[in-house]
C-alpha cells in the first residue's frame, strides 16, 4: 500500500473504532454488576434511530446524542425488569431484546420516513498543534466524539478503581451475598448499572447514524453489537483493554474500503465475514489463554435471590 493509503487508513480508524469502544464500555458497566447483557445490537439500533430522528427534527447533534442515550436507557428498563426482578434467563432476555428492537426500529423508521434521509452531523476538530505536523497532521483531525471517548473511558476506569461507589458496584457483581450483608441494595445497583450501561450502548448506535453515516438504514449497526459482546470478553472486563480491542476492530473495518480504493479486489462475502472471523479468532485465543484470577465478575449472569434471615 502507498503512504497515502496507509495514512487515510490510520486517520479513519478512530471513526470506525468509537462505536465498538462505547458499546463495549456500556456492557462492561452492566456486567460488572453481574448482569449479562447480550442486547447491545438492539440497543444500538434504538440509539441510532432516535438519534437520527432527533437530528432530522432538531438539527442539534448534541441534543440528538443525549436523546438517543435516554431512549436506549428507557428500552433497557424492559430488560432490567425481566432479568433483575422477574429473574428471567439473562441470555434469553438479551436475545429477545435484540429481536424486539430490530423489528421496532425497522417499523418506526419506515413509518416516519427517516430511511436514507441525509442530515448534517458533527464536523471535525483539529487537535492543535499536532494537526499542523507535516504528513501525519491528518491523524489529529477527528470529530468531537472521538476526542470525547478518551475522557469517557478515563472516567469509567477511575470510577471502578478509585471510588467507593465503583467498588460497591463491583462487589455486587462479584459476590452479591456479601454485598447484601454489607447493606448494599443489590436490585437497585444492578438496575442502575443496566440503565447507565445501556445509555452508552445507545450512544454508540447514535454515533453511527448521527456522526458517521449521517443517515438511517434499517439494521445499520451491522452486527457491531455482537462484536462488542466478544470484545468485552477479550478485554476481560477492563475498560482500557476494551479500548485497545476497539481500535483493533476499527483498524480491520477501516482497512477494507482502503484496500478497495487501492484497487485490491476482494470477494464481497469475504469482506462481510472478516470482522466476525476476527471475533471468533479472538474468542479462541482468549479461551486458550484463560487463567485463574481473570477479571470475569464472579456472579455474572446469576440472578440474585435474597435469603430470608431468621
Amino acid at each position: 500500500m502507498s503512504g497515502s493509503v496507509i495514512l487515510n487508513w490510520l486517520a479513519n480508524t478512530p471513526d470506525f473504532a468509537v462505536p465498538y469502544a462505547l458499546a463495549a464500555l456500556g456492557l462492561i458497566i452492566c456486567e460488572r454488576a453481574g448482569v449479562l447483557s447480550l442486547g447491545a445490537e438492539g440497543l444500538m439500533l434504538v440509539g441510532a434511530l432516535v438519534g437520527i430522528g432527533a437530528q432530522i427534527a432538531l438539527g442539534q447533534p448534541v441534543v440528538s446524542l443525549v436523546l438517543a442515550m435516554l431512549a436506549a436507557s428507557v428500552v433497557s428498563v424492559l430488560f432490567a425488569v425481566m432479568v433483575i426482578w422477574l429473574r428471567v434467563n439473562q441470555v434469553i432476555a438479551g436475545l429477545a431484546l435484540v429481536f424486539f428492537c430490530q423489528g421496532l426500529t425497522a417499523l418506526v423508521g419506515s413509518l416516519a420516513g427517516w430511511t436514507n434521509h441525509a442530515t448534517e452531523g458533527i464536523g471535525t476538530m483539529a487537535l492543535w498543534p499536532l494537526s499542523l505536523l507535516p504528513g501525519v497532521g491528518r491523524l489529529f483531525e477527528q470529530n468531537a466524539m472521538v476526542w470525547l471517548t478518551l475522557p469517557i473511558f478515563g472516567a469509567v476506569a477511575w470510577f471502578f478503581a478509585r471510588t467507593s461507589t465503583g467498588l460497591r458496584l463491583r462487589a455486587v457483581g462479584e459476590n452479591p451475598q456479601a454485598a447484601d450483608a454489607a447493606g448494599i441494595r443489590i436490585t437497585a445497583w444492578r438496575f442502575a448499572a443496566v440503565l447507565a450501561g445501556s445509555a452508552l450502548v445507545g450512544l454508540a448506535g447514535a454515533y453511527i447514524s448521527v456522526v458517521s453515516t449521517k443517515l438511517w438504514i434499517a439494521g445499520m449497526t451491522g452486527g457491531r453489537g455482537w462484536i462488542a459482546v466478544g470484545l468485552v470478553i477479550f478485554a476481560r472486563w477492563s475498560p482500557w483493554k476494551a479500548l485497545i480491542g476497539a481500535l483493533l476492530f476499527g483498524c480491520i473495518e477501516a482497512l477494507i474500503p482502503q484496500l478497495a480504493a487501492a484497487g485490491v479486489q476482494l470477494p464481497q462475502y469475504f469482506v462481510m465475514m472478516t470482522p466476525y472471523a476476527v471475533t471468533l479468532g479472538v474468542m479462541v485465543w482468549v479461551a486458550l489463554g484463560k487463567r485463574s484470577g481473570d477479571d470475569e465478575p464472579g456472579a455474572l449472569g446469576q440472578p440474585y435471590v435474597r435469603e430470608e434471615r431468621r
Side-chain angles (χ1 to χ4, degrees), residues 98-264:
V98 171
F99 299 135
F100 169 73
C101 292
Q102 285 177 335
L104 177 65
T105 54
L107 175 63
V108 174
S110 61
L111 292 178
W114 294 339
T115 303
N116 291 321
H117 190 302
T119 66
E120 293 184 4
I122 299 177
T124 60
M125 291 180 58
L127 188 62
W128 187 89
L130 297 177
S131 60
L132 302 178
L133 294 175
V136 297
R138 178 153 171 359
L139 300 176
F140 302 98
E141 296 178 359
Q142 305 289 341
N143 64 72
M145 277 303 304
V146 170
W147 303 124
L148 187 59
T149 298
L150 293 175
I152 289 176
F153 267 80
V156 173
W158 175 80
F159 169 77
F160 279 129
R162 301 295 182 182
T163 68
S164 59
T165 304
L167 293 176
R168 290 190 184 98
L169 182 64
R170 293 175 61 182
V172 168
E174 286 291 339
N175 192 332
Q177 290 79 14
D180 189 13
I184 299 174
R185 299 176 58 187
I186 306 301
T187 299
W189 280 82
R190 286 188 168 181
F191 203 96
V194 170
L195 295 184
S198 298
L200 281 178
V201 176
L203 178 61
Y207 179 91
I208 297 173
S209 63
V210 176
V211 182
S212 184
T213 63
K214 301 179 178 63
L215 54 81
W216 161 260
I217 301 173
M220 68 182 304
T221 51
R224 291 178 178 87
W226 297 115
I227 294 177
V229 172
L231 183 57
V232 171
I233 301 174
F234 161 76
R236 305 311 300 167
W237 291 268
S238 167
W240 291 121
K241 291 180 181 179
L243 182 59
I244 295 172
L247 287 172
L248 169 64
F249 282 100
C251 281
I252 295 170
E253 193 171 349
L255 180 61
I256 295 172
Q258 295 303 321
L259 290 176
V264 179

Side-chain angles (χ1 to χ4, degrees), residues 277-297:
V278 173
T279 304
L280 290 174
V282 166
M283 298 294 289
V284 171
W285 177 74
V286 170
L288 293 176
K290 189 174 181 180
R291 303 179 301 274
S292 60
D294 279 333
D295 249 355
E296 178 179 344

Side-chain angles (χ1 to χ4, degrees), residues 5-86:
V5 172
I6 295 176
L7 183 61
N8 288 333
W9 168 41
L10 296 177
N12 291 327
T13 292
D15 185 51
F16 287 95
V18 166
Y20 295 119
L22 293 175
L25 187 62
L27 294 179
I28 288 173
I29 293 174
C30 185
E31 295 185 6
R32 277 293 189 181
V35 179
L36 177 63
S37 179
L38 299 181
E41 182 75 6
L43 293 174
M44 288 179 72
L45 285 172
V46 170
L49 177 69
V50 174
I52 200 65
Q55 181 65 12
I56 292 172
L58 304 175
Q60 299 292 330
V62 175
V63 176
S64 301
L65 295 175
V66 172
L67 290 177
M69 296 174 68
L70 292 175
S73 291
V74 170
V75 173
S76 72
V77 171
L78 175 63
F79 172 75
V81 169
M82 287 192 297
V83 301
I84 298 174
W85 286 345
L86 302 180

